[in-house]
Amino acid sequence: QVQLAESGGGSVQAGGSLRLSCLASAVNLRNCMGWFRQAPGKEREWVGSIGSDGSTSYADSVKGLFTIPRDNAKNLLYLQLNSLKPEDTGMYYCAADPGLVPRVAGTECFRYLVVWGQGTLVTVFS
């Protein structure tokens, strides 16, 4: 059974950085994976994805600010958050495609991100 466990959330001042981690079990980290977030009172939104080939795709709101590195040997996916703003506050969720088909980042990957972690809270204060 695929399991994802996020960590690394916390409180940070605007302009600061955080690195979130997602420990993946029973899934090949080279699968398509991604991050989503949900701000208080808002719907969950996609943040970015990384494809089987290492390609990445990001939401316009975080492009150039957030990146998704991964460590295949440790089965860890990361979300590096830079230049944080108060509007980046929310729960951040790791998601994975549990299948066996390689996929590139983007729409194709997004459709198959169906396994979720419990989330980790990021609070950005001004």
Side-chain angles (χ1 to χ4, degrees):
Q1 182 179 357
V2 176
Q3 292 187 323
L4 305 171
E6 302 93 335
S7 61
S11 294
V12 62
Q13 191 168 20
S17 298
L18 276 176
R19 189 177 75 165
L20 308 183
S21 299
C22 172
L23 180 62
S25 303
V27 64
N28 187 337
L29 204 66
R30 290 185 176 85
N31 278 18
C32 160
M33 298 189 71
W35 289 90
F36 291 74
R37 67 183 180 184
Q38 186 167 18
K42 296 189 177 181
E43 294 189 354
R44 190 176 298 187
E45 65 173 350
W46 171 74
V47 173
S49 304
I50 182 166
S52 305
D53 60 350
S55 59
T56 53
S57 180
Y58 299 96
D60 288 342
S61 58
V62 306
K63 199 171 294 182
L65 300 174
F66 294 3
T67 59
I68 304 179
R70 66 185 176 193
D71 186 333
N72 294 331
K74 296 181 180 179
N75 252 34
L76 281 168
L77 184 75
Y78 302 100
L79 179 65
Q80 179 67 42
L81 303 91
N82 298 322
S83 301
L84 284 161
K85 308 168 188 173
E87 51 263 42
D88 294 317
T89 293
M91 286 293 289
Y92 283 72
Y93 300 90
C94 175
D97 169 6
L100 301 176
V101 178
R103 307 187 198 281
V104 299
T107 304
E108 182 187 0
C109 171
F110 177 85
R111 293 173 54 198
Y112 291 92
L113 295 175
V114 297
V115 177
W116 299 81
Q118 295 299 308
T120 186
L121 179 63
V122 172
T123 303
V124 184
F125 57 92
S126 55

